[in-house]
Amino acid sequence: MESLARMSSLLESARELTLDAASAARSSASRSSNRPMDKTQIRRLLDSRNEREVLEGLRRVMSMMYHNQKTLPYFSSIVKNVASPDLEIKKLVYIYLIHHAEQEPDLALLSINTIQKSLSDSNPQVRALALKTMSGIRVPVISQIVSLAIKKGVGDMSPYVRKAAALAIPKCYRLDPSQSPQLLEYLSTLLGDRQYYVAGAAVTAFTEICPERLDLIHKHYRGLIKKLVDMDEWSQIGTVRLMTYYSRKCFPRRTKRVKIKQQQSSGQTVTDLKDFYGEAKEEDDGETAEQVVIDPDLLLLLNGVKPLLQSRNAAVVIAVTRCYASVGTGEFLKAAIGPLIALLRGAQDIQQMALYNIVCICLQRPTDFARYASHFLVRSTDPPQVWELKIEVLALIFPHSSSHIKSLILNELEHFSQGANKALVREAVRAIGRCAQTDPATAPRCMRVLLGQIASLDGTLAAESLTVIRHLIQQDPQEHVGTVIRLAKNLDTATDPQARATIIWLVGEFSGLNGEDNIAADVLRILLKDFASESEAAKRQIVLLAAKVYLHHLNRELEGDEEKGEGGEQQQEEVEMFKEEHPIKKLWDYVVLLVRYDTSYDLRDRTRLYKSLLAVPQLATLMLLAPKPAPQAPSPSETRKGFVLGSSTLVLAGAGGVHGLKGYEPLPPWVEEGREPDPSLREPEGGIAMYSGGGERKAATAAERLDTVAAASSRSVPGKSNGAGAAAAAAEGPAIGEKTLDDWLAEDEEEEEESESEEEEEESEEDSDEEEEEESEGEEEESDEEEEASTDDGEGDRLVKTS
């Protein structure tokens, strides 16, 4: 009978396995086929008692939901499965509820009780899913229930559930902001959690609901920094950002004077620190500078984020760089440059984001990037957004590089200035101009490169080259007279309208040099021969050139009259006749005549303005011959200077003004000295202080902590073996005159010596006791013999008497 029962059980189990395999095969075949199921079939699967069929129906619904198909009609059938013991079914039901609870709030409320029961499940994954689902159901009626669920999750033994509680806090806050007081209490507890992934999620919630409540961070400041290295990447980004804001608001920017003097023998710079309070006597030799004094807690942050520079996430590296640039010093920022350069090996989008931040730092510290010049050479596969930023970096580091690197950069820019890409040509030529302006020693070579390109058939290259040449000439006009003459000779071959206009303007600017020996009048005569076929931009410059040449002629005539003095009428008539017959006067009249019949209203108006001004030469001199300031060609990213590193405004609002995009928040200013929070607030509660007292706070050593614990244990409450008295004594602080570790070791040695001496004394005492015992035994024997003798004597006496 027993064998038959066993056989029947085996057959039953085999039958069940066969049915399960067939069902799995059907479901896999149906999933592999692209035939959609109708609503009736899906509903039948969802209402089935077989868990496999229910799971298959839920998968079908999930697929429809992520393909933007209507899945709301299955709400009632899906909600019924919320109490299923199968974890996979429960997960899919929870996902469905999160997506559709707002559309069916009444039906969603029916599942709240079941979800609440799941908060007490033995499986922590189920508890976390239930908490996530309850906070994701955006129905304001259940806000208090969600708050209670978060409270329960905060006290859960599983860190996975506590993390889910931390992530649920912002959802509950958005659902009902009136729950803020309770949520802040939960958040304060989670910020001090020992598990790093719970603390990271708590920081994310903190930055979303109450980033201004920095008083909640004081006691958790050092703990968060210690757990920062172990957090996940997104928690690291949020924590570093929070600590950067915290540092600006809680640590004042202190500086102290530093004496810098030069050694005459070796030429080395030696730095002597002055007295902090300025009481030291100032020396006459050397210069003084300011050095930043870093708070020990701020130094803890700067050193704590340093390992994150090795992160594989580009956002983490940029976050650390932002921290160093915002609250650190130059030495810390210099350590972040190498990891920032390493991001250029990534994808193109990461390269672009990294280059925006590199340019922003390079505007302030270009010297630190000079050694990495080879990383910014343009590749043929670089998109326009990348090579524009690379060329900008090359121009920024050019004056701070060695002669070999300078030659390499100029060769690179010259090569790309002769390419076929017009945008690349324009940027390369402008970069050459910026290099020449920032480093006058290389200006002649840059000028030769640019002059060789003005005769190019490419009008864009010629125009851009001439624009840059004009900027360089205006930097030092007296040194470039020959350059202007060379440019004037190129008017016969220059065909680009903007290029011709630039050359004519330069000739007009130099028309007052060398008096009548200037080439400006002859250039004007040649240009007027073909005035009608010139472009409008060139015509405007020709009219301006004619006005300047004629004005210089009038000024020379006035100076001649002043030298000769007032003459007779005959001399005045000769002067007037000479003025009318002078060729420059004829050229000016001819220009006025040509413009009178021109079709351009603007050109005719300009000519009438110049004619009216020339009637009063003094006024015309102030208007037309005023000295022009040398133009500056700043880096294109100067408009981004000052934006926070890693922000979207730095990338998108380059030309959007100083305020950036909507919603942009700049870094807060440094807190004023004397108004910062008390450093004791950052001491851990109920623990051992990290810093010892005094002006300069230093980390407590292990021996000091051991001494403190030993002193606390010596004052523990008697009669309690659970250590409660020791903890209470440790919380009160160390006693006055407490013993150090050396004292304890010395006492141990003394105790050992005392114990040895006591043992010797005991041995000696034992020997003396033995001697005393032997003596006492001898005395007892003698007394016994005496007693026996006395008794014998008595008996003899009695015997004698009786006899």
Side-chain angles (χ1 to χ4, degrees), residues 384-617:
Q385 297 84 0
V386 172
W387 57 250
E388 284 180 3
L389 295 170
K390 284 187 175 181
I391 289 177
E392 185 175 355
V393 175
L394 290 175
L396 287 172
I397 65 177
F398 179 81
H400 307 279
S401 304
S402 61
S403 57
H404 170 70
I405 298 299
K406 288 179 180 179
S407 178
L408 175 65
I409 293 175
L410 286 179
N411 291 335
E412 184 82 2
L413 296 176
E414 183 180 1
H415 170 74
F416 287 108
S417 65
Q418 299 173 354
N421 189 342
K422 293 185 177 181
L424 183 57
V425 167
R426 179 173 61 251
E427 293 298 327
V429 171
R430 291 177 180 176
I432 292 175
R434 292 197 297 271
C435 292
Q437 288 183 2
T438 55
D439 189 8
T442 58
R445 179 181 175 182
C446 296
M447 183 66 74
R448 287 195 300 270
V449 172
L450 295 172
L451 287 175
Q453 296 174 345
I454 59 176
S456 174
L457 297 177
D458 187 359
T460 303
L461 176 59
E464 290 294 336
S465 301
L466 282 169
T467 302
V468 175
I469 290 172
R470 176 171 64 85
H471 291 174
L472 296 178
I473 290 175
Q474 287 185 262
Q475 298 286 338
D476 192 4
Q478 299 296 332
E479 296 293 331
H480 294 90
V481 177
T483 304
V484 176
I485 296 174
R486 180 178 175 179
L487 290 175
K489 293 179 180 179
N490 286 302
L491 280 173
D492 296 336
T493 56
T495 57
D496 185 74
Q498 193 62 38
R500 293 181 63 85
T502 302
I503 295 175
I504 296 170
W505 185 87
L506 284 172
V507 173
E509 282 295 303
F510 286 83
S511 60
L513 297 177
N514 301 328
E516 294 183 354
D517 294 335
N518 196 282
I519 64 170
D522 197 33
V523 172
L524 176 63
R525 177 184 61 82
I526 296 172
L527 290 173
L528 291 179
K529 292 180 179 180
D530 200 15
F531 180 81
S533 61
E534 295 282 354
S535 63
E536 186 174 351
K539 287 180 180 179
R540 286 197 295 266
Q541 297 303 325
I542 291 173
V543 173
L544 180 59
L545 172 63
K548 290 180 179 180
V549 170
Y550 183 54
L551 180 57
H552 284 298
H553 169 69
L554 292 178
N555 290 336
R556 286 194 296 268
E557 292 297 328
L558 292 175
E559 291 175 359
D561 293 343
E562 292 177 358
E563 292 177 358
K564 293 179 181 178
E566 297 181 358
E569 294 182 358
Q570 184 177 359
Q571 292 179 353
Q572 293 291 337
E573 290 177 358
E574 290 178 358
V575 170
E576 292 294 335
M577 185 182 301
F578 177 76
K579 286 182 180 180
E580 292 177 357
E581 295 176 355
H582 199 278
I584 293 180
K585 178 68 170 57
K586 293 181 179 179
L587 287 174
W588 171 247
D589 292 339
Y590 185 56
V591 169
V592 173
L593 182 63
L594 290 174
V595 174
R596 181 183 300 175
Y597 300 102
D598 195 88
T599 58
S600 174
Y601 291 95
D602 179 64
L603 190 60
R604 295 200 298 269
D605 292 341
R606 286 172 182 266
T607 307
R608 283 194 291 269
L609 173 63
Y610 296 151
K611 187 176 181 180
S612 301
L613 283 174
L614 291 173
V616 185

Side-chain angles (χ1 to χ4, degrees), residues 3 13 72 94 98 146 257 274 277 284 348 389 417 513 537 551 553 624 694 704 796 802:
S3 61
S13 61
L72 190 60
Y94 285 167
I98 291 173
V146 175
R257 302 299 299 176
K274 293 181 61 181
Y277 296 98
D284 295 335
Q348 291 182 353
L389 295 170
S417 65
L513 297 177
L551 180 57
H553 169 69
L624 299 180
E704 293 174 354
T802 56

